[in-house]
């Protein structure tokens, strides 16, 4: 894949000569951030900290971590393979003084129910990373999630949370920790971004936890009718293209608001259906395969997510550039390339 993107400055901050830590940088969002900085600020000093994937499988059959070296082919910065839960590994970061920390590393699997493992990985490590941010006087931008809202009705708004799974709870706890830490450390800037359903290049190695855009795309390229839950025209999500998520991360570095900790929704502000994804993909791929409709095995399944993004827009100047149609259109060649690679 050609990792280079057109030069796109989302902010007047000059990240050249800045030292930037990206935890989870071998994963989907982290690797996109890494290439954003590399392409737009070639003199930035980018450090990726990620445990990468091992063969370790969780109780639900998914891998413990999804980081993949293929997401980083062409990356010229520094890479540290380490576990955010391991103090010795984290001590390798002492060689640097960071200006910015983008904390993406986490168990990102929303369907894992091992509470102890999720809380240890996502929550405990956050204290250590905040300590590093404090020591280095670094701006901390961390990944929260729309999962904090559980089944609350749309649009989801910061301030009303009701997580329905351990993953969502862990992100909610990170938000609380960040808030308390910011109160005790008023000179710090700590910004939480609640990503909604992100899709785009470099998500492929998340396998079954990747977006339905790439999963349905590959079913269509296999010549099969894309498989959807019954009533998928009424199951709605706020799908956001990866470039807009990168935009939000960059803009969060210059949060105009006070106090020094804020949480923002990062979505398009518009909910679309899983049926829409299937229809747009079939149009892009010039197919007419219909759909295979299956029963939804999940109880308590979210029927509608839609980010309330007024504050994200007002305080960060965030304006999503991609609709579901234009996001899929930008992504389709990569979906085809991955499908070819998979079948070689
Ligand atoms: N993709 C989405 O739709 C979405 C939505 C909401 C929130 N988020 C959050 O955004 C962040 C990035 O998500 P993503 O989609 O890129 O997921 P991802 O799984 O591709 O990336 C997470 C990365 O963290 C690494 N990691 C996991 N455990 C680690 C550990 N103990 N030590 C070091 N590294 C570890 C993994 O190897 C992986 O590279 C996560 O915090 C996730 O919870 C993502």
């Amino acid at each position: 894949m050609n990792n280079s993107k057109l030069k796109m400055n989302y902010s007047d901050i000059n990240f050249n000569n800045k030292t930037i830590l990206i935890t989870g940088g071998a994963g989907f969002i982290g690797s996109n951030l890494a290439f954003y900085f590399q392409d737009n600020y070639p003199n930035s000093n980018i450090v990726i900290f990620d445990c990468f994937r091992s063969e370790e499988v969780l109780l639900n059959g998914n891998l413990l971590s999804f980081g993949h070296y293929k997401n980083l082919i062409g990356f010229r910065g520094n890479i540290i393979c380490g576990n955010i839960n391991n103090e010795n590994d984290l001590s390798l970061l002492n060689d640097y003084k960071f200006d910015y920390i983008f904390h993406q590393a986490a168990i990102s699997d929303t369907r894992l129910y091992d509470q102890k493992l999720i809380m240890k990985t996502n929550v405990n490590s956050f204290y250590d990373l905040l300590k590093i941010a404090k020591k280095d006087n670094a701006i901390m931008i961390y990944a929260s999630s729309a999962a904090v809202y559980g089944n609350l009705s749309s649009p989801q708004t910061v301030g009303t949370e009701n997580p329905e799974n351990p993953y969502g709870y862990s992100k909610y706890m990170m938000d609380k920790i960040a808030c308390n830490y910011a109160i005790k450390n008023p000179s710090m800037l700590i910004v939480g971004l609640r990503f909604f359903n992100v899709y785009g290049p470099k998500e492929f190695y998340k396998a079954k936890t990747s977006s339905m855009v790439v999963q349905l795309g590959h079913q269509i390229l296999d010549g099969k009718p894309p498989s959807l839950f019954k009533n998928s025209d009424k199951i709605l999500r706020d799908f956001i293209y990866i470039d807009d998520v990168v935009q939000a991360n960059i803009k969060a570095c210059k949060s105009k608001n006070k106090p020094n900790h804020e949480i923002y929704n990062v979505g398009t502000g518009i909910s679309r259906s899983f049926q829409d994804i299937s229809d747009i993909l079939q149009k892009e791929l010039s197919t007419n395969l219909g759909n295979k409709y299956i029963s939804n095995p999940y109880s308590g399944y979210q029927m509608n997510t839609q980010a309330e993004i007024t504050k994200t827009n007002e305080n960060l100047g965030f304006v999503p550039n991609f609709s579901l149609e234009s996001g899929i259109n930008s992504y389709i060649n990569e979906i085809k390339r991955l499908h070819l690679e998979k079948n070689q």
Side-chain angles (χ1 to χ4, degrees):
M1 180 182 30
N2 180 4
N3 281 310
S4 298
K5 291 205 171 165
L6 286 178
K7 196 167 168 60
M8 174 71 84
N9 289 335
Y10 295 121
S11 153
D12 56 7
I13 299 174
N14 183 357
F15 291 96
N16 280 315
N17 303 314
K18 300 293 182 197
T19 304
I20 300 164
L21 171 62
I22 304 174
T23 71
F28 170 33
I29 296 171
S31 60
N32 274 283
L33 272 170
F35 279 102
Y36 173 83
F37 286 117
Q38 177 168 296
D39 292 345
N40 291 281
Y41 302 95
N43 293 325
S44 56
N45 180 18
I46 312 160
V47 180
I48 282 177
F49 185 95
D50 197 300
C51 65
F52 288 77
R53 68 180 56 203
S54 66
E55 301 292 304
E56 202 170 337
V57 173
L58 299 168
L59 283 174
N60 65 2
N62 290 336
L63 287 175
L64 173 62
S65 54
F66 295 108
H68 201 297
Y69 76 90
K70 283 203 173 180
N71 285 335
L72 293 172
I73 302 284
F75 174 65
R76 298 187 297 272
N78 299 306
I79 293 178
I80 297 172
C81 179
N83 190 323
I84 46 172
N85 289 135
N86 182 313
E87 273 182 33
N88 283 338
D89 290 354
L90 285 176
S91 72
L92 295 169
L93 297 173
N94 292 338
D95 288 350
Y96 300 91
K97 184 176 182 309
F98 296 106
D99 298 294
Y100 296 91
I101 298 177
F102 295 87
H103 176 39
Q104 304 295 325
I107 290 186
S108 61
D109 186 343
T110 54
R111 297 212 172 272
L112 178 70
Y113 297 99
D114 183 336
Q115 301 190 18
K116 184 176 168 191
L117 181 62
I118 293 184
M119 293 301 284
K120 276 186 89 169
T121 307
N122 294 2
V123 176
N124 288 9
S125 60
F126 194 38
Y127 292 102
D128 293 320
L129 284 152
L130 283 167
K131 254 188 238 163
I132 295 172
K134 180 177 173 180
K135 170 177 74 64
D136 290 358
N137 200 19
I139 288 174
M140 162 66 86
I141 314 295
Y142 68 92
S144 181
S145 169
V148 301
Y149 297 116
N151 275 324
L152 291 175
S153 57
S154 288
Q156 285 77 24
T157 310
V158 176
T160 45
E161 291 79 15
N162 186 28
E164 299 261 4
N165 57 36
Y167 168 80
Y169 181 74
S170 75
K171 293 290 180 180
Y172 187 36
M173 286 306 102
M174 286 175 70
D175 291 338
K176 295 232 177 268
I177 291 163
C179 182
N180 290 334
Y181 210 86
I183 290 169
K184 286 194 190 125
N185 297 282
S187 65
M188 289 180 78
L189 176 61
I190 308 172
V191 182
L193 298 178
R194 290 183 177 165
F195 306 141
F196 278 62
N197 283 58
V198 192
Y199 66 98
K202 298 180 185 291
E203 64 167 317
F204 178 67
Y205 298 105
K206 291 178 70 177
K208 282 185 195 154
T209 73
S210 62
S211 78
M212 289 315 291
V213 176
V214 68
Q215 295 196 47
L216 295 177
H218 282 198
Q219 289 172 24
I220 296 167
L221 288 165
D222 284 338
K224 295 180 187 145
S227 185
L228 293 174
F229 291 148
K230 286 176 191 156
N231 300 319
S232 272
D233 57 332
K234 296 186 186 62
I235 308 179
L236 309 175
R237 294 283 181 278
D238 192 328
F239 299 106
I240 179 147
Y241 192 56
I242 182 66
D243 289 19
D244 282 332
V245 168
V246 170
Q247 180 202 155
N249 275 276
I250 302 308
K251 290 187 169 168
C253 295
K254 210 172 181 179
S255 190
K256 271 186 252 163
N257 66 300
K258 311 251 182 248
N260 58 330
H261 170 245
E262 258 309 349
I263 300 170
Y264 295 104
N265 281 339
V266 178
T268 61
I270 297 168
S271 55
R272 300 292 300 272
S273 71
F274 286 101
Q275 185 69 56
D276 286 336
I277 293 182
S278 172
D279 294 348
I280 296 166
L281 282 165
Q282 297 230 46
K283 199 167 165 207
E284 284 287 344
L285 295 168
S286 308
T287 57
N288 191 10
L289 297 165
N291 288 99
K292 179 182 167 194
Y293 291 103
I294 58 172
S295 298
N296 183 347
Y298 303 112
S299 60
Y301 196 69
Q302 279 178 315
M303 290 306 284
N304 187 2
T305 66
Q306 183 186 354
E308 163 52 65
I309 58 168
T310 308
K311 195 171 69 162
T312 326
N313 173 258
E314 285 176 359
N315 288 354
L316 302 184
F318 171 77
V319 179
N321 288 322
F322 289 85
S323 64
L324 189 57
E325 281 78 3
S326 59
I328 291 178
N329 178 265
S330 296
Y331 188 15
I332 201 74
N333 283 338
E334 174 61 1
I335 293 176
K336 288 185 199 166
R337 188 196 68 80
L338 287 162
H339 185 258
L340 265 180
E341 186 181 272
K342 195 173 73 173
N343 291 316
Q344 266 165 10

